[in-house]
Amino acid sequence: MDILKVLSRGTKKVTNNSQLGVKAAAKLPSAGAKPNPQLFHDEVRGQKRKRKVGDEPEEKDESDLPEVDFFAPKPESKPGNEKKQKVEQTSTPAPVQATKLLTEEQCRQLLKSHRLKITLLSKVEDQSRVKKSKKKKKKVAVEPKKEEKKQLIPQVLETFGELRTSYGISRRVAENLVVQGYREPTEVQMGSLPLLLRPDLALPDEGSLEHGVDFLAVAPTGSGKTISFLIPAVNNIMRRRSEEKLNNIHELEAIIIAPTRELAYQIVNEGRKILQGTSLRIVAMKKGMAVAADKQELSEDSSDESGNESEHEPDSEEERKYQKTKRGTPTKADVLVTTPLLLLNFLNSGSSQAQKVLPTVRDLILDEADVLLDPLFREQTLGIWTACTRPELRVSFWSATMGSNIESLVTERLQQRTESLGTEPKPFVRLVVGLKDTAVPNITHKLTYTASEQGKLLALRQLLRPSSRDESGPPLRPPFLVFTQTIDRATALHEELKYDIPLEAGGSTRIAALHSGLADSARATIMRKFRAGDIWVLITTDVLARGVDFAGVNGVVNFDVPGSSAAYVHRVGRTGRAGREGGVAVTFYTKEDIPFVKMVANVIAASEKQAGKTGDDAGIQKWLLDALPNVAKADRKKLKERGVEARRTGGGTQAKITSRSGFERRKENNKRGAIAASKKRRDEPSDDSGDEDEWGGLDD
Ligand SMILES: Nc1ncnc2c1ncn2[C@@H]1O[C@H](COP(=O)(O)OP(=O)(O)OP(=O)(O)O)[C@@H](O)[C@H]1O
C-alpha cells in the first residue's frame, strides 16, 4: 500500500454520505480550485438564488478525487511570458462607463444577499455643528452617536470584469487577476473594491471624496482580504502617475504592516503576482534596509548605518548579500510590506534623536489590524502611522476579528490626526461580512475532552495513524497544523512526535516545528517545505495563526486551547480558505481548560448556526454550552496574555510534553519500518504502544 496515499486520503472508502463527518471527509479541501469562493448568497426578494451557506456542491465519489494535491497551485503564467510582455509603466485608466453602475436597489439586494453591511463610522459634520478650535476654525470629523451611524449603500462589485469597465483599473493588473484564476469576487472584494478604487463613483452622495475614505473591514479568514487592499493600493499609484505623467519612477506610496514575517512575505508574493508586467515594485522590509524617508534625515543617517555593521547580524545568506550591496542606499520601492518593529527600527535609527518621517506615503494598510493595535504592537504601529505625515493619508484596517475597543481607538486616532493637521476629514467607513464576526462557518469543528495532558498526546498520535481513523468522526488528513501555547511546548511536541511517521513515508522529515525562536532562514525553509507538501504536520505557536495562507491545509489541531475566541477563529481559519469546505478543526481540552472553553464553544456554536447545522448535525450540543462555565472578564484577559498558566515553562507537569526518549522512539520506529518492509504489509503497522486506553476519542 502506498503510504503517501494512505496518509493523504485515509483508509476507508466512504459509502454513507449522510453522516456529517463523512460528508466532510468526502470533500478534500486541497482538491483543486473552489468553484465559488463566496460564502453567502441568500435568497433576496426578486433575485435568482445561487447558493446558501450549508448548501453542498455536487457530491463527488471519493475515488474521483485527485491524488495528493496538497496545495493546489493556481495557474501561473508560463515562465518567460513575463519577459515577452511589455512592461506597463503606468496605468492607462479605462474609460469609466457610468451606465455599468448598479441602481441603489440592486446594490441593496446584493449587499443583503451576501451579508455585507457597510456603515459610515465618522462623517464631516455640517457647518452649523462644526467644532471650532481655539486657534483657528476648522472642520473636524465627529464620531456620530451610535444611533446616528449611517448605513451606506455603495456600489457593489458583481464581477471582476467591472474592475476594468467601471472602475478603470490597469489593464495589466486586470489580466494578472485572470491569470491567478480569480473568477468571482468574494464578499469582502465585492464591498471594498468599488469604495477603495473609486469612492466618488461608489458613494456619489457623500460629498467630496477626492482623498478617498479611511476604511475598516471585518471579513472571515481566507475570504480574500489581501487582494482587496492590494488592488486599490497599486492601482491608486498607477492612476496618479498616469495622470501626472510620471514614468519610470519609484516612490514609496503605500505601506502594508503585518504582524509576522511569514505574513509579510506572503503579501509581497501576492503583490508580485498582481504587479507582474508593470513597473511598480513591492518589497519586503528587511533588517538593515533603508527606505526613502524624509531626505534630510536619510542623508544624515546613511553614514551612520554603514558605520554600525555589527549592530544586527543578518540571519540569512540572502540578507547578508543584500546588506553588503545595499546598505544605506534607499531601496527602490513603491509598496513596502513590513512587520511593525522592522520599519520602526529603521525610522528610529541614525544619529538624530528625531524619528524619520515618510512624507511620500499615501496609503497605510494594517493587515490583522486588531493584533497590530493590541498592546503588544500598539506603540510600534502607531509610531509608523505618526511617521506617515502626508495630510491626505488613507488608512485602512483589515481583520477577521475586530473588537469594539479597536474600532473606538482607530476612530479616535483618525479624529485626533485630522484635528492636529487641520485637514479636511475623510469619511471613515466600516464593512462587515457575515452575521457575526467570530465565526468560521465552512469547516467542521470538534471539541475533544481528554483526561490529561498524556491523553492529548495519545489523541494526537491517533490522528497521525490512518489505520485507526474510522467513520465516527471526520478524519484529519495531512497536511495539518498543530497549535501549542508556547515555543517550549511546540519544540517538545515536535520532539515527541518526530518519529511517529513511518520511515517509508518520509519519517521525521514529515514533521516540523515553526516558531519565533527560529532564525528567519529556518522559518522560511519550513514554510517552503510545508507549502510544497514535503512537511505534512507542522507544529507551531500563534505565530502562524494570523493571515498565513496554505490553500491545501486539511485540518488544524489546537493541542492547547487558544487564548481567546479571536485566536480560535484565526487558528482554525488556516483551513477552509477561499470558501473551500471539508476542513476540520479539532480542539483538545483537559479539566484545567474547562474554565476557558466556553469562548471556543461559543465560536463553534456561532459557526454552526451560520452554516445551518443544528440539532444532531451540530458538533456542539446545547447541553455542553449550558454546562460550560462563563469566562470571567479578568480570566479572559489573563488567558489572552499568558495562556493557561499551568502550561507555561516551568509550570509543573503540565508544562511538559513527553513520554519516552527520542532514542527509544527512533528504535521502535526503525523496528516497525523493518518489519513492514520485510513482510511487505499493505496495512499500517499495528499499534504497539500499549497505552491506547487513555485515548479520549474525537467524540467525547
Ligand atoms: N476571488 C477569489 N476567488 C478565488 N480565490 C480567491 C479569491 N480571492 C482570494 N482568493 C484566494 O483565497 C485565499 C485566501 O485569501 P487571503 O489570504 O487574502 O484571505 P484573508 O481574508 O486575508 O484571510 P486571513 O483573515 O486568514 O488573513 C488565497 O489563496 C487567495 O489567493
Side-chain angles (χ1 to χ4, degrees):
M1 178 171 280
D2 179 352
I3 193 71
L4 187 73
K5 215 176 207 174
V6 172
L7 280 161
S8 316
R9 305 184 56 193
T11 50
K12 292 183 183 171
K13 190 167 174 187
V14 178
T15 47
N16 178 5
N17 280 348
S18 64
Q19 278 174 277
L20 172 75
V22 181
K23 262 189 184 176
K27 284 176 260 114
L28 202 61
S30 55
K34 176 74 184 62
N36 187 345
Q38 294 170 351
L39 285 171
F40 310 109
H41 203 127
D42 299 343
E43 194 169 5
V44 176
R45 186 169 42 92
Q47 228 192 25
K48 199 170 161 237
R49 183 183 178 279
K50 275 195 194 160
R51 180 174 170 244
K52 226 177 176 179
V53 172
D55 278 5
E56 306 299 343
E58 231 174 81
E59 290 291 345
K60 268 190 171 185
D61 188 278
E62 203 183 356
S63 56
D64 294 340
L65 291 172
E67 293 299 303
V68 179
D69 181 17
F70 291 160
F71 295 97
K74 281 181 274 183
E76 295 278 356
S77 54
K78 287 196 185 109
N81 262 9
E82 56 282 16
K83 283 196 187 136
K84 283 181 211 146
Q85 287 169 349
K86 191 172 159 280
V87 167
E88 187 169 322
Q89 300 294 351
T90 54
S91 146
T92 318
V96 173
Q97 299 166 15
T99 49
K100 287 269 177 194
L101 298 181
L102 304 171
T103 64
E104 186 174 326
E105 186 50 27
Q106 284 172 323
C107 293
R108 192 187 300 279
Q109 296 221 350
L110 275 171
L111 292 172
K112 199 165 171 201
S113 152
H114 287 276
R115 302 191 192 172
L116 275 157
K117 197 167 173 191
I118 302 178
T119 315
L120 187 63
L121 289 183
S122 69
K123 60 181 180 182
V124 184
E125 290 289 280
D126 57 37
Q127 260 338 91
S128 58
R129 293 180 59 196
V130 165
K131 280 188 193 169
K132 287 171 189 169
S133 81
K134 281 179 192 152
K135 287 184 191 146
K136 62 176 181 184
K137 292 177 187 180
K138 60 191 173 195
K139 286 188 200 169
V140 293
V142 175
E143 188 182 3
K145 286 188 201 116
K146 212 166 186 182
E147 64 275 17
E148 281 179 8
K149 282 181 184 164
K150 180 176 156 192
Q151 201 166 332
L152 298 172
I153 313 291
Q155 285 294 309
V156 180
L157 187 81
E158 268 196 296
T159 64
F160 275 127
E162 292 161 23
L163 286 178
R164 180 97 182 120
T165 56
S166 299
Y167 300 99
I169 72 160
S170 141
R171 182 173 53 80
R172 189 72 85 211
V173 171
E175 284 169 4
N176 289 341
L177 289 173
V178 175
V179 171
Q180 285 307 299
Y182 299 138
R183 297 285 174 265
E184 281 194 81
T186 62
E187 279 80 6
V188 66
Q189 293 157 3
M190 294 172 82
S192 64
L193 286 170
L195 270 167
L196 297 179
L197 282 165
R198 290 295 303 266
D200 52 330
L201 287 184
L203 286 173
D205 301 332
E206 290 306 314
S208 164
L209 289 165
E210 192 194 341
H211 298 305
V213 297
D214 294 317
F215 192 70
L216 181 141
V218 189
T221 48
S223 65
K225 293 185 282 296
T226 313
I227 61 166
S228 307
F229 57 71
L230 275 174
I231 296 173
V234 302
N235 204 70
N236 288 341
I237 302 177
M238 289 173 142
R239 183 175 333 114
R240 190 181 66 80
R241 291 191 191 163
S242 163
E243 283 164 6
E244 296 177 14
K245 305 215 176 338
L246 297 166
N247 288 336
N248 280 329
I249 63 153
H250 289 290
E251 185 175 79
L252 184 58
E253 289 201 30
I255 290 182
I256 301 167
I257 314 180
T260 63
R261 287 165 224 179
E262 281 73 18
L263 183 53
Y265 291 140
Q266 181 180 296
I267 296 169
V268 169
N269 284 337
E270 285 295 302
R272 287 193 178 144
K273 290 177 198 162
I274 286 176
L275 287 175
Q276 207 161 53
T278 73
S279 63
L280 258 55
R281 285 198 75 205
I282 180 164
V283 168
M285 185 76 193
K286 296 203 173 87
K287 260 189 221 166
M289 184 167 124
V291 293
D294 174 77
K295 282 198 174 77
Q296 244 180 332
E297 289 287 329
L298 189 71
S299 56
E300 268 176 40
D301 180 64
S302 312
S303 56
D304 179 81
E305 272 196 17
S306 51
N308 254 336
E309 302 227 348
S310 59
E311 243 179 39
H312 15 241
E313 273 291 274
D315 289 329
S316 66
E317 192 51 37
E318 194 197 341
E319 204 165 279
R320 252 191 297 275
K321 256 194 260 161
Y322 176 84
Q323 290 196 9
K324 213 169 153 192
T325 53
K326 303 258 175 149
R327 183 168 287 277
T329 316
T331 298
K332 285 181 184 162
D334 304 288
V335 182
L336 180 76
V337 189
T338 182
T339 54
L341 193 59
L342 272 178
L343 182 55
L344 196 70
N345 279 346
F346 162 70
L347 294 173
N348 288 329
S349 65
S351 51
S352 159
Q353 286 292 329
Q355 199 190 44
K356 294 187 197 65
V357 288
L358 299 158
T360 55
V361 174
R362 291 160 192 265
D363 263 305
L364 179 65
I365 296 160
L366 272 57
D367 192 16
E368 308 297 343
D370 54 333
V371 156
L372 292 174
L373 292 166
D374 210 50
L376 183 65
F377 288 118
R378 187 177 295 168
E379 287 313 310
Q380 300 168 15
T381 306
L382 295 180
I384 296 172
W385 188 351
T386 310
C388 297
T389 48
R390 200 166 192 94
E392 68 270 27
L393 177 81
R394 285 179 296 262
V395 197
S396 64
F397 311 87
W398 305 78
S399 184
T401 51
M402 197 81 75
S404 54
N405 57 332
I406 300 293
E407 197 176 290
S408 307
L409 173 87
V410 160
T411 312
E412 209 174 286
R413 296 293 299 199
L414 286 168
Q415 246 173 267
Q416 283 168 1
R417 194 179 155 93
T418 311
E419 280 171 30
S420 68
L421 293 173
T423 50
E424 192 75 20
K426 286 197 287 300
F428 180 31
V429 177
R430 176 184 65 200
L431 173 150
V432 178
V433 179
L435 299 177
K436 209 168 191 278
D437 61 357
T438 44
V440 189
N442 53 318
I443 65 170
T444 302
H445 302 259
K446 284 272 163 185
L447 200 49
T448 299
Y449 177 76
T450 63
S452 62
E453 283 289 302
Q454 278 289 310
K456 292 202 304 195
L457 198 54
L458 293 168
L460 181 56
R461 284 218 151 93
Q462 193 80 357
L463 292 174
L464 289 172
R465 288 188 189 136
S467 58
S468 53
R469 288 182 203 133
D470 60 24
E471 290 176 15
S472 62
L476 194 60
R477 298 168 184 183
F480 60 83
L481 285 161
V482 182
F483 284 98
T484 59
Q485 185 176 307
T486 58
I487 297 178
D488 284 348
R489 285 176 67 81
T491 314
L493 189 58
H494 178 222
E495 276 300 307
E496 184 63 33
L497 297 176
K498 214 151 100 175
Y499 305 111
D500 276 42
I501 293 193
L503 274 178
E504 66 270 31
S508 61
T509 61
R510 298 292 187 199
I511 302 191
L514 189 153
H515 49 75
S516 59
L518 297 177
D520 267 11
S521 53
R523 282 162 73 163
T525 306
I526 294 171
M527 288 291 282
R528 201 175 48 247
K529 287 187 174 172
F530 191 56
R531 282 189 201 284
D534 295 337
I535 290 172
W536 295 350
V537 179
L538 184 54
I539 300 162
T540 187
T541 60
D542 279 319
V543 75
L544 279 197
R546 291 266 180 169
V548 179
D549 182 55
F550 303 113
V553 162
N554 287 329
V556 168
V557 177
N558 286 314
F559 190 78
D560 295 332
V561 288
S564 64
S565 53
Y568 179 79
V569 167
H570 289 277
R571 282 181 179 187
V572 304
R574 296 317 97 205
T575 185
R577 314 277 296 165
R580 288 179 179 88
E581 290 176 37
V584 179
V586 182
T587 302
F588 296 137
Y589 69 107
T590 64
K591 66 176 183 307
E592 280 73 25
D593 302 312
I594 289 176
F596 316 111
V597 167
K598 182 103 174 211
M599 292 186 305
V600 170
N602 281 337
V603 179
I604 299 178
S607 305
E608 293 183 332
K609 195 172 163 200
Q610 271 198 33
K613 291 176 191 166
T614 48
D616 287 347
D617 264 0
I620 289 283
Q621 301 295 319
K622 191 168 177 310
W623 66 263
L624 180 61
L625 269 183
D626 293 342
L628 288 168
N630 285 324
V631 190
K633 203 172 168 190
D635 288 341
R636 268 208 306 263
K637 194 163 171 243
K638 234 193 276 171
L639 185 72
K640 189 175 156 204
E641 283 164 10
R642 298 185 54 82
V644 176
E645 200 57 42
R647 266 185 221 121
R648 295 185 66 80
T649 313
T653 50
Q654 282 199 45
K656 298 187 190 125
I657 299 174
T658 182
S659 57
R660 290 152 297 156
S661 73
F663 176 74
E664 271 178 284
R665 280 177 282 120
R666 188 165 42 225
K667 224 168 84 181
E668 205 173 88
N669 191 57
N670 289 349
K671 198 169 135 197
R672 262 208 310 254
I675 294 168
S678 67
K679 289 188 182 169
K680 300 247 185 304
R681 280 197 317 215
R682 294 180 66 82
D683 295 324
E684 278 294 299
S686 66
D687 174 40
D688 53 2
S689 65
D691 43 17
E692 291 297 300
D693 292 350
E694 288 189 49
W695 158 236
L698 275 173
D699 292 321
D700 272 3

